[in-house]
Each structure stands twice: as C-alpha cells, then as structure tokens.
Amino acid sequence: MDVRIHLTFLFLLAFVWFTEAAALGSSGASRGLVLVAIIFGCVVLHELGHALVARRYGLVVRSILLLPIGGMTFMEEPGPEQANPARDIRIAIAGPLVNLVIAGVAALAILAVAPHVKLWGEPLVHAGNLPRSLVWSNVFLGLFNLLPAYPMDGGRILRALLAERMDYMVATRRAVLIGQGLAMLMMLAGLVWNVWLVLIGFFLFLGAQMEDRTVLFQSLLEDVSMQDVMLTGFSILSPADTLEDALRKAIHSLQDDFPVVRGSEMVGVINKQRILEALRREGNGYVQSAMMRSFETAQRTDSLGVGFRKLGSRGLTMIPVVEDLRLVGIVTLQNLTHNMSLVLETRRLRRVQQGD
Ligand SMILES: [Zn+2]
C-alpha cells in the first residue's frame, strides 16, 4: 500500500504560504504550513483507519491519495454478490472515529498540560493557535465525513443501512440521490450564510455524480456475462511445449495470453511477457517451468463484474472460462478493451430491435 500526495496539494501549500505571509510575515507563514501539515497528518490517519479495518476484512488496500479537499482510499471493492453491510459500516465509520478520538485525546491532554489554551476561543482553527486547531480540525473532519452524502463516509453508512433492506444497486442510487440533495441544500445555504459551504456542496455534488457513473458502469458489468465476451477461437499451449514454440505461437496469433492444458485439464496460464522473460533469463526451457500455476477460473454465466474482480485481485491478464472443468473460452484484458464497445453496441441494437 502506498500513500501518494496529489500535485494540487502543492498549490494549497503555496496558497497558505502567501496569504499567511502577507498577513503575519514569514513566522506566520511557517505556522500556516505547520497547520496544513497537522490537518493532512490527521487526514492520513483517517484514511489509515479505513484501510486497517478493510484489511482486517481481507480486502486489499491499494493506495491512499491525499487531495487538498481530503483523502481517498483505493481498495478492492467487493461486488454486490459479496455484500456485507456490517463490514461496510465498520470500514466507513473507522475514519471519522479516528479523528474524533484524536480530538478527544488532544483536548484532554491540553486541559491537563496546558490549561491556558482556551479550547473555545475564536477562531476555532487558526495558525495562531496550533493546539486548539488540532482539536477542532479533527472534530470538523470527523463530523464532516459523517454527513450522509455519498460518497462521504456517512453516505456509505447510509448505503449499507439501505442495502440491508433492498438491492445493492438501488441502495447505492438512493444514497447518491440523498447525497446530491444534501449537496444542493448546502450550496443554497452557503449563498446566504457562508461561501465555503457553496464550494463544499459543489465538490460533494461532483463526487456523488462521479460515484453515480461508477455505479452505472458496475451495473452494466453485472449485466454482461462471461459467455457474451469470451474468445472461443483461441490457441492453447501444452506444459511440454518449449518456450521457443510458445513464442512462435504468440507471434502467429493475436493472443498475448495462453491457457496451458495437459490432456483436457487446465494446469496453468502464461503470457507473452512471461515467455520472453523466461527465455531471456534461462534460455529455452519448457512452458511447464515458466507458467503461472495459480489462476482463477470463471463460469460461462458469471457476470463480467465477477470476472473483472478476479482479474484485478491477482493482477492477472487472462481468465479461463470453464464448464464442468472443461475449458470453453478465455477472457483477456486485451480482448476486453477491444471488444467492450462492440459488446455494448450489440446489446443496444438488440434492445432497439426488441423495442424497449
Ligand atoms: Zn473517510
């Protein structure tokens, strides 16, 4: 898992530097930067909270991205067939909980060690008072993320609660709609009350809309089955083939990925890249020693979404489709990227012909 900082974050640093330096001189500017560092440290801890709970549920956490408006944790998203509302609620609530705990501990520590710091003084978050800012920025981070506006953490909790009573996709759509409604209310309230609310509402609205598209795409993936997209005319390799034979086959077909079959049994998978690497490393050997022995298979009727998740979870580039242990087709990333638009177009045409 890696933590990356988005480039736009540098603009925020520059912005704080210039505005605080203009107001308070260079000592004010460096305090401003410390405040930014504190807030971002707390955003990182927030995201780590999500990541740790997700990992405890066996989900792979890929990366954490820090943006000026907060963080994002990219993890393996389990599909609707593995829906687990209790798990989703725990993962979602972990982030805000981290912030509220930090706020509580920091407040108690300040009361004990530095009682002269006025916790309720205005402004609550300001570079001029870093201890107080630590407490309040965490209170705000925690509460803000608990807003029931998907894709915020609160919205995820809302979706999980809805998903207990209805279809996963419907629950997501509803959570998105509630999120967009809330974002609009926030923008309206911002017009009369505080300009920052307009900005936050705007970002929330955009976020919800992006999620909405992802959900649409996902429902499409659930709709298409593996047999709709699999290649049925494909070459196979035998474990006893030499790597040079394998390379020749790769050159003479459009295929990059090959199932390795002994008799009628699938024993491994291998791709052009791996063949080349093995040839370069050890000279001509057998497919048997260079192939990947652990692979995932899919059934004809599995949805493309299931296939995608299987591909993604192990970094595979091909997934064999089997029926009664017999290999009936393969789906590769290569052919998916080529054929996806074709598949969607045929489906659209079919639908037009059926008149719905
Ligand atoms: Zn969060």
Side-chain angles (χ1 to χ4, degrees):
M1 174 179 69
D2 52 340
V3 177
R4 288 172 301 163
I5 294 177
H6 197 265
L7 198 64
T8 48
F9 181 53
L10 293 178
F11 292 114
L12 180 74
L13 284 182
F15 177 75
V16 170
W17 177 271
F18 285 122
T19 49
E20 293 288 319
L24 303 158
S26 66
S27 82
S30 42
R31 273 174 164 273
L33 293 187
V34 172
L35 177 60
V36 173
I38 287 177
I39 293 174
F40 269 77
C42 296
V43 172
V44 172
L45 291 174
H46 171 112
E47 299 301 325
L48 282 178
H50 292 306
L52 284 181
V53 178
R55 198 175 263 190
R56 193 177 294 171
Y57 278 96
L59 299 179
V60 180
V61 178
R62 300 224 168 76
S63 61
I64 290 174
L65 176 66
L66 298 180
L67 295 157
I69 47 167
M72 278 167 99
T73 299
F74 293 96
M75 56 181 147
E76 172 195 358
E77 289 273 347
E81 78 280 356
Q82 291 165 301
N84 179 346
R87 171 198 62 203
D88 294 347
I89 289 175
R90 291 211 179 104
I91 294 175
I93 216 166
L97 212 58
V98 166
N99 294 122
L100 294 178
V101 167
I102 295 176
V105 171
L108 287 178
I110 289 168
L111 286 177
V113 181
H116 58 276
V117 174
K118 289 199 207 78
L119 279 179
W120 295 97
E122 295 273 353
L124 296 172
V125 176
H126 187 255
N129 192 329
L130 293 174
R132 181 166 74 217
S133 299
L134 173 67
V135 173
W136 284 104
S137 51
N138 274 290
V139 170
F140 291 137
L141 272 173
L143 294 183
F144 177 62
N145 278 286
L146 281 174
L147 284 176
Y150 200 80
M152 308 286 291
D153 297 328
R156 288 175 188 278
I157 296 170
L158 176 69
R159 189 218 8 214
L161 291 174
L162 290 172
E164 278 178 338
R165 255 159 293 151
M166 59 185 83
D167 178 67
Y168 191 78
M169 293 295 167
V170 181
T172 309
R173 270 219 64 99
R174 206 161 288 183
V176 164
L177 278 180
I178 294 173
Q180 285 182 325
L182 205 79
M184 277 198 299
L185 276 181
M186 212 181 252
M187 285 190 271
L188 282 178
L191 287 179
V192 287
W193 196 28
N194 187 327
V195 175
W196 281 103
L197 274 181
V198 180
L199 201 68
I200 294 168
F202 179 69
F203 276 121
L204 276 184
F205 195 85
L206 278 190
Q209 201 165 33
M210 261 159 58
E211 275 308 312
D212 196 30
R213 292 219 186 105
T214 323
V215 171
L216 264 180
F217 181 63
Q218 261 170 11
S219 75
L220 207 74
L221 286 184
E222 302 310 318
D223 247 23
V224 177
S225 68
M226 294 301 271
Q227 61 186 354
D228 290 338
V229 290
M230 70 186 183
L231 291 175
T232 45
F234 56 91
S235 312
I236 57 170
L237 292 171
S238 146
D241 284 343
T242 64
L243 291 171
E244 279 177 4
D245 287 340
L247 191 62
R248 215 164 294 137
K249 243 182 197 172
I251 290 169
H252 291 297
S253 73
L254 279 172
Q255 239 168 286
D256 273 354
D257 303 81
F258 294 90
V260 183
V261 179
R262 181 194 288 127
S264 60
E265 190 197 354
M266 251 209 80
V267 290
V269 293
I270 195 165
N271 58 26
K272 211 181 340 189
Q273 181 100 26
R274 229 177 145 85
I275 296 171
L276 275 175
E277 272 165 17
L279 270 173
R280 236 176 255 145
R281 214 174 38 233
E282 291 142 23
N284 197 13
Y286 291 96
V287 167
Q288 169 128 27
S289 57
M291 69 189 188
M292 288 171 77
R293 284 158 202 282
S294 77
F295 55 91
E296 301 261 1
T297 59
Q299 303 290 318
R300 260 175 191 283
T301 49
D302 278 348
S303 73
L304 190 52
V306 171
F308 249 132
R309 280 187 288 280
K310 282 183 175 172
L311 279 172
S313 67
R314 298 229 205 147
L316 300 169
T317 48
M318 177 192 61
I319 192 151
V321 183
V322 294
E323 188 176 50
D324 306 327
L325 300 173
R326 204 167 45 83
L327 183 64
V328 291
I330 60 172
V331 170
T332 68
L333 272 186
Q334 188 197 8
N335 89 275
L336 270 186
T337 43
H338 285 150
N339 292 353
M340 205 48 202
S341 55
L342 215 59
V343 172
L344 295 181
E345 189 61 18
T346 16
R347 290 172 63 78
R348 203 182 60 80
L349 286 173
R350 210 183 304 154
R351 215 169 287 158
V352 171
Q353 277 160 10
Q354 284 165 357
D356 68 29

